[in-house]
């Protein structure tokens, strides 16, 4: 039984609740009445204007939706076209071995990756296990899918070919095929338009996916289309690829065969390969290899990672299908590897992605090796992050994504359920970066006299007469130290190992053929905590085959009290690695050598005298020489004129970083300009292939007076 005060308290609460319910019901009824009696329509925001590709705006990648637009070549009149050109070339022929093709498929495509100059999503989808694949296809369900340049740039950097997609589906696809295949001349014309796009944008060919039923009379011109596209691509881009998808048959039926056979082989015979549908049976890879003859590796057996009727069930069992394909002596085509991103696999995308691809590696093996050429530079950037650095100094703490910024990715082995008494190595986006937005962080425990190694790269770099310089940046805590282990092989099958370390390491130097003590390159004044280590080696006739990180401790104290082999906290960050010939000096043209121009200048008044500015900047060398620089960092400096001295003074301590360009143009969109600003100075910081960047004071610039000032 309740006491009297508690009883009244409960009654009071019940009355309050009852009263609130009555008020809520009256408000709901009133709202219904207002909605029913009001003749005014609900307030709606006007729809955005339709996309006009000729109007200046933030550069994006987008597909071509109609044959009319393809035929008219209107894409080349787009404001966005120059920004979509690939900046990283690729000249290679597919090796005669089993290969791995990876077909992108993520919610229709053109998401965070459509922003050519980068977006603001630090969790944007990306791929970084390029060393496991040979071909990458960018896929969407639009007629002509043009790969965003960020995918082509980073894939080419890692030696991977990139294909766009030409697809016809449903009723509109049938209408398109009627036009495409109406005559031999139309089939040739559209094939030439596709080849022209691939050449102009810098990607390597096409996946042809005809997902519609055709009339038997159209097959002849379909073969003309595929054959002419293949020949035109080969002529324009040596090593290019045209791959047929297993859909419509030689009789015009939309009937997926799930293997190479006489119903789809006529298409296979006139192009570079076939992407076989993914609902095949266990014996189909071997049967397809028999039909293909000496072209068995041009047969790519499909595997749907979502597991839609695919052999093995896809998902975490995708490697089961790869094992069967490998035994069947054909190649493989993985479809929709973003499965773990879309389905939010635990514990997080980074871990699940590394885990999933480790299963692919276990089944299929490594197919790409680097470094292969000099200079070799990597900052371990995955193309997204929470900050951005240049030469050890953070220049932005804004979240960002831009796959074009992705550096060579390390071949870090995945460790499932790491123990507390070991060292964990991972690409980190939260710790400070020396360059870009990533690094490799080594964190854990390490005994005084022990060392820990972790694989970074498998190489194919043949060394010549000239010495080779190795430079790398390290930030560490306490006595944690980080070096590099290099593995070499010679033509006489002689192997040797070399350790690059910052001091003599007597306790385990016998584990290596040679130990070279690095010399500090001097701490950059604007990059506190980073130590730059440098060493020069001469290994003429040897091939660099592996690079490992080596974790160790400096000055071990052998007589330190306490239990023996006491593990101690270890922490170090590897910021970058540069390998280049010792005689190769980084040189930048002086700022006076550049012509910087501004186009499409647009001022917009905001409030109280402040404005925004949108403008396209473009630059080139005055002598007309083709530039060989991979990227440019763009900054803006806001200046105000002093009344007394009539001189411009900066309104900010440092120039504002706007983004990174991978072509000789950058679009500045809605830059905020305070009312006291008299002029703007844009700085184009030139960056070289070895990772060095021109000093801002020596970089080309362009100034704009503020309108109305």
């Amino acid at each position: 039984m309740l006491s009297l005060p508690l009883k009244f308290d409960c009654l009071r609460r019940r009355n309050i609740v009852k009263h609130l319910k009555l008020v809520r019901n009256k408000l709901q009824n009133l709202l219904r009445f207002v909605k029913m009696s009001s003749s005014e329509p609900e307030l709606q925001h006007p729809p955005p204007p339709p996309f006009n590709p000729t109007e200046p705006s933030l550069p994006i990648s987008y597909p071509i939706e109609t044959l009319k637009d393809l035929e008219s070549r209107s894409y080349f009149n787009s404001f966005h076209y120059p920004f979509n050109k690939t900046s990283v070339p690729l000249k290679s022929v597919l090796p005669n071995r089993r290969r791995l093709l990876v077909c992108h498929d993520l919610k229709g495509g053109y998401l965070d990756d459509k922003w050519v100059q980068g977006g603001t999503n630090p969790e944007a989808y990306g791929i970084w296990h390029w060393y496991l694949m040979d071909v990458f296809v960018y896929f969407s369900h639009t007629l002509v899918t043009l790969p965003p340049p960020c995918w082509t740039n980073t894939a080419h950097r890692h030696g991977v070919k990139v294909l766009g997609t030409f697809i016809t589906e449903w009723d509109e696809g049938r209408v398109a095929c009627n036009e495409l295949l109406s005559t031999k001349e139309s089939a040739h014309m559209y094939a030439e338009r596709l080849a022209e796009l691939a050449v102009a944008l810098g990607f390597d060919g096409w996946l042809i996916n005809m997902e519609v039923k055709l009339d038997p009379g159209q097959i002849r011109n379909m073969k003309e289309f595929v054959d002419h596209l293949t020949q035109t691509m080969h002529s324009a881009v040596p090593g290019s690829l045209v791959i047929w998808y297993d859909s419509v048959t030689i009789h015009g039926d939309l009937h997926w065969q799930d293997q190479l056979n006489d119903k789809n082989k006529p298409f296979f015979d006139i192009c570079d390969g076939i992407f076989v549908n993914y609902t095949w049976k266990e014996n189909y890879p071997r049967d397809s290899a028999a039909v293909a003859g000496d072209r068995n590796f041009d047969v790519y057996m499909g595997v749907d990672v979502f597991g839609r009727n695919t052999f093995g069930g896809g998902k975490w069992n995708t490697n089961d299908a790869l094992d069967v394909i490998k035994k069947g002596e054909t190649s493989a085509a993985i479809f929709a590897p973003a499965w773990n991103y879309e389905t939010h696999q635990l514990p997080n995308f980074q871990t699940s992605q590394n885990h999933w691809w480790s299963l692919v590696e276990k089944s299929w093996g490594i197919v790409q090796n680097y470094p292969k050429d000099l200079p070799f530079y990597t900052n371990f950037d995955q193309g997204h992050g929470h900050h951005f650095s240049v030469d050890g100094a953070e220049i932005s703490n804004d979240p960002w994504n831009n796959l074009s910024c992705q550096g060579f990715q390390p071949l870090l082995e995945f460790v499932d359920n790491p123990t507390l008494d070991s060292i964990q190595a991972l690409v980190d986006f939260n710790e400070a970066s020396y360059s870009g937005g990533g690094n490799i962080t080594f964190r854990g425990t390490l005994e005084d006299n022990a060392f820990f190694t972790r694989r970074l790269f498998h190489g194919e770099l043949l060394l010549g007469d000239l010495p080779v310089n190795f430079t790398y940046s390290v930030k560490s805590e306490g006595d944690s130290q980080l070096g590099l282990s290099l593995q070499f092989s010679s033509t006489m099958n002689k192997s040797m190992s070399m350790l690059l370390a910052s001091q003599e390491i007597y306790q385990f130097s016998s584990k290596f053929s040679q130990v070279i003590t690095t010399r500090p390159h001097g701490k950059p004044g604007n990059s506190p905590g980073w130590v730059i280590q440098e060493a020069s080696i001469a290994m003429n006739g040897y091939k660099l085959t592996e690079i490992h990180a080596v974790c160790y401790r400096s000055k071990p104290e052998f007589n330190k009290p306490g239990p023996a082999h006491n593990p101690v906290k270890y922490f170090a960050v590897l910021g970058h690695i540069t390998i280049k010939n010792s005689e190769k000096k980084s040189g930048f043209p002086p700022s006076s050598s550049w012509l910087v121009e501004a186009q499409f200048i647009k001022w917009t008044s905001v409030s109280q005298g402040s404005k925004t500015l949108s403008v396209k900047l473009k630059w080139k060398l005055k002598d007309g020489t083709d530039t060989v620089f991979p990227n440019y960092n763009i900054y803006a400096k806001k200046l105000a004129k002093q009344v007394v001295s009539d001189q411009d003074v900066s309104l900010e301590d440092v120039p504002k970083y706007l983004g990174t360009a991978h072509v000789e143009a950058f679009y500045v969109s809605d830059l905020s300009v305070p009312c006291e600003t008299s002029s703007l100075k844009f700085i184009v910081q030139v960056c070289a292939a070895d990772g060095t960047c021109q000093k801002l004071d020596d970089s080309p610039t362009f100034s704009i007076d503020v309108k109305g000032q």
Side-chain angles (χ1 to χ4, degrees):
M1 180 177 290
L2 295 175
S3 64
L4 193 61
L6 285 175
K7 185 176 181 180
F8 278 113
D9 189 52
C10 290
L11 288 172
R12 186 163 53 249
R13 290 181 183 176
R14 290 194 191 109
N15 289 333
I16 292 173
V17 171
K18 184 178 180 181
H19 177 72
L20 289 174
K21 287 181 178 179
L22 289 172
V23 171
R24 181 194 64 186
N25 293 337
K26 288 181 179 179
L27 286 173
Q28 288 177 342
N29 291 332
L30 180 62
L31 287 172
R32 290 193 194 101
F33 174 77
V34 170
K35 188 173 181 180
M36 293 172 61
S37 60
S38 175
S39 59
E40 294 294 327
E42 290 186 26
L43 182 63
Q44 294 181 346
H45 294 289
F51 172 61
N52 184 350
T54 64
E55 291 293 324
S57 62
L58 272 177
I60 64 169
S61 298
Y62 62 94
I64 296 174
E65 298 184 359
T66 67
L67 284 179
K68 180 181 177 181
D69 289 338
L70 178 62
E71 179 183 1
S72 69
R73 303 175 70 248
S74 61
Y75 182 83
F76 296 108
N77 298 322
S78 165
F79 174 81
H80 305 265
Y81 160 58
F83 296 94
N84 276 273
K85 294 182 179 181
T86 300
S87 60
V88 182
L90 177 68
K91 296 179 180 180
S92 66
V93 177
L94 285 180
N96 187 28
R97 55 157 172 77
R98 55 183 170 81
R99 312 174 196 122
L100 187 65
L101 179 151
V102 174
C103 188
H104 164 281
D105 177 55
L106 177 61
K107 299 180 180 179
Y110 301 104
L111 301 175
D112 293 304
D113 53 2
K114 77 177 181 181
W115 303 107
V116 177
Q117 295 177 172
T120 59
N121 181 10
E123 310 299 331
Y125 176 70
I127 286 177
W128 52 89
H129 295 83
W130 298 103
Y131 53 91
L132 300 177
M133 67 190 79
D134 299 281
V135 182
F136 176 80
V137 179
Y138 193 80
F139 182 85
S140 81
H141 291 277
T142 310
L143 183 70
V144 181
T145 301
L146 303 173
C150 62
W151 286 104
T152 310
N153 284 335
T154 189
H156 280 185
R157 188 172 293 120
H158 291 86
V160 176
K161 294 183 183 296
V162 175
L163 309 184
T165 303
F166 181 80
I167 186 172
T168 57
E169 297 178 292
W170 313 112
D171 292 340
E172 60 268 26
R174 188 73 178 85
V175 173
C177 283
N178 290 339
E179 169 62 28
L180 170 72
L181 307 174
S182 58
T183 64
K184 175 182 175 180
E185 289 73 23
S186 66
H188 283 198
M189 181 268 291
Y190 286 116
E192 290 166 6
R193 292 292 188 271
L194 291 178
E196 181 184 31
L197 284 164
V199 172
L201 296 178
F203 58 92
D204 308 294
W206 294 94
L207 171 68
I208 306 301
N209 188 0
M210 313 304 291
E211 299 264 3
V212 294
K213 178 177 173 59
L214 300 177
D215 295 332
Q218 293 177 308
I219 296 302
R220 181 176 179 178
N221 285 339
M222 174 57 73
K223 292 174 67 177
E224 286 285 346
F225 171 71
V226 175
D227 181 64
H228 193 65
L229 176 59
T230 303
Q231 299 306 318
T232 306
M233 283 299 311
H234 288 181
S235 176
V237 183
S240 58
L241 300 174
V242 174
I243 293 179
W244 176 262
Y245 188 78
D246 165 32
S247 50
V248 69
T249 71
I250 197 66
H251 305 298
D253 299 318
L254 182 57
H255 188 193
W256 299 268
Q257 300 299 297
D258 300 325
Q259 61 184 314
L260 180 66
N261 59 23
D262 59 351
K263 293 183 180 180
N264 52 30
K265 189 172 184 291
F267 298 113
F268 172 78
D269 290 338
I270 56 177
C271 67
D272 299 298
I274 184 170
F275 185 146
V276 175
N277 192 50
Y278 44 76
T279 56
W280 45 268
K281 294 180 172 59
E282 187 169 2
N283 59 306
Y284 285 9
R286 190 169 298 280
D287 292 347
S288 297
V291 174
D294 60 2
R295 289 189 61 200
N296 56 307
F297 295 133
D298 293 336
V299 177
Y300 299 84
M301 303 298 297
V303 183
D304 178 22
V305 182
F306 277 84
R308 293 163 285 205
N309 298 317
T310 200
F311 183 88
K315 302 177 182 177
W316 292 105
N317 297 315
T318 299
N319 52 307
D320 292 345
L322 296 179
D323 290 340
V324 173
I325 295 170
K326 184 166 62 173
K327 291 178 182 177
E329 287 295 306
T330 63
S331 294
I334 292 177
F335 184 75
W339 163 78
N340 55 28
Y341 184 83
E342 287 196 60
T343 58
H344 307 287
Q345 293 296 298
L346 299 176
N348 54 62
F349 174 57
Q350 282 283 321
T351 304
S352 64
Q353 170 105 317
N354 290 332
H355 187 188
W356 188 87
W357 282 102
S358 74
L359 301 175
V360 174
E361 179 181 344
K362 183 178 179 181
S363 172
W364 203 255
I366 294 170
V367 300
Q368 299 284 355
N369 295 316
Y370 35 84
K372 293 181 180 178
D373 305 297
L374 294 180
F376 174 79
Y377 167 76
T378 180
N379 57 6
F380 314 110
D381 195 327
Q382 282 188 2
H384 59 95
H386 301 276
H387 56 259
F388 197 87
S389 298
V390 174
D391 291 336
E394 184 179 288
I395 60 173
S396 173
N397 58 6
D398 294 328
W400 66 279
N401 65 279
N402 188 345
L403 275 174
S404 285
C405 293
Q406 188 179 99
F408 279 101
Q409 289 302 292
L411 284 64
L412 293 177
E413 297 168 275
F414 177 75
V415 179
D416 198 8
N417 297 319
T419 60
L420 295 176
D421 59 350
S422 64
I423 291 179
Q424 188 175 6
L426 72 158
V427 174
D428 197 322
F429 314 100
N430 296 313
E431 292 293 337
S433 301
Y434 181 79
S435 174
N439 56 63
I440 302 182
T441 297
F442 300 84
R443 190 192 312 267
T445 57
L446 185 67
E447 297 177 355
D448 281 340
N449 299 314
F451 71 99
F452 169 88
T453 66
R454 177 64 79 215
R455 178 188 73 184
L456 297 180
F457 298 106
H458 278 200
E460 292 181 0
L461 180 61
L462 182 62
L463 304 182
D465 297 334
L466 295 175
V468 173
N469 278 352
F470 282 75
T471 306
Y472 59 98
S473 54
V474 176
K475 178 180 281 191
S476 61
E477 294 180 357
D479 59 357
S480 302
Q481 298 291 324
L482 191 65
L484 297 179
S485 167
L486 313 177
Q487 304 291 322
F488 300 92
S489 66
S490 71
T491 54
M492 306 297 293
N493 292 324
K494 181 181 178 182
S495 61
M496 69 166 294
S497 60
M498 180 183 295
L499 174 65
L500 307 183
S502 58
Q503 60 178 266
E504 291 288 346
I505 309 297
Y506 298 108
Q507 63 268 34
F508 55 85
S509 59
S510 61
K511 304 288 185 181
F512 301 91
S513 306
Q514 186 178 355
V515 178
I516 293 183
T517 304
T518 59
R519 56 188 180 275
H521 193 59
K523 289 185 179 181
N526 60 348
S527 53
W530 289 103
V531 177
I532 314 301
Q533 299 291 352
E534 188 176 54
S536 181
I537 66 171
M539 297 290 293
N540 186 18
Y542 278 82
K543 181 183 290 185
L544 175 62
T545 58
E546 292 183 36
I547 303 176
H548 291 246
V550 180
C551 302
Y552 64 96
R553 294 192 173 282
S554 61
K555 300 178 182 179
E557 301 175 21
F558 297 102
N559 298 320
K560 186 171 66 174
H565 308 295
N566 181 32
V568 184
K569 179 183 176 183
Y570 179 94
F571 178 82
V573 179
L574 181 61
H576 85 287
I577 297 176
T578 301
I579 311 172
K580 60 183 180 180
N581 288 324
S582 57
E583 286 192 358
K584 188 75 173 179
K585 301 294 183 183
S586 297
F588 297 101
S591 59
S592 59
S593 302
W594 293 89
L595 175 65
V596 185
E597 300 175 293
Q599 299 177 333
F600 307 106
I601 299 174
K602 179 184 177 183
W603 294 97
T604 303
S605 297
V606 183
S607 63
Q608 298 179 347
S610 63
K611 300 177 176 67
T612 63
L613 170 66
S614 296
V615 60
K616 177 185 176 181
L617 302 172
K618 57 183 296 188
W619 53 90
K620 62 181 179 180
L621 289 170
K622 292 178 179 177
D623 62 6
T625 305
D626 289 336
T627 56
V628 293
F629 302 105
N631 56 282
Y632 308 83
N633 296 323
I634 312 301
Y635 304 80
K637 201 170 189 178
K638 299 169 186 177
L639 304 172
K641 193 174 292 294
Q642 286 186 329
V643 177
V644 178
S645 64
D646 200 35
Q647 292 181 343
D648 289 333
V649 295
S650 177
L651 294 174
E652 300 164 315
D653 294 334
V654 294
K656 178 179 177 59
Y657 169 73
L658 301 181
T660 298
H662 294 85
V663 294
E664 285 72 46
F666 188 86
Y667 187 70
V668 180
S669 177
D670 293 328
L671 178 67
S672 176
V673 182
C675 60
E676 62 269 24
T677 308
S678 61
S679 64
L680 293 163
K681 185 183 200 179
F682 293 100
I683 304 170
V684 180
Q685 184 180 38
V686 185
C687 301
D690 63 2
T692 56
C693 296
Q694 192 170 22
K695 293 181 179 179
L696 288 184
D697 291 342
D698 300 331
S699 298
T701 63
F702 186 86
S703 295
I704 298 178
D705 290 333
V706 175
K707 182 180 179 181
Q709 295 290 337

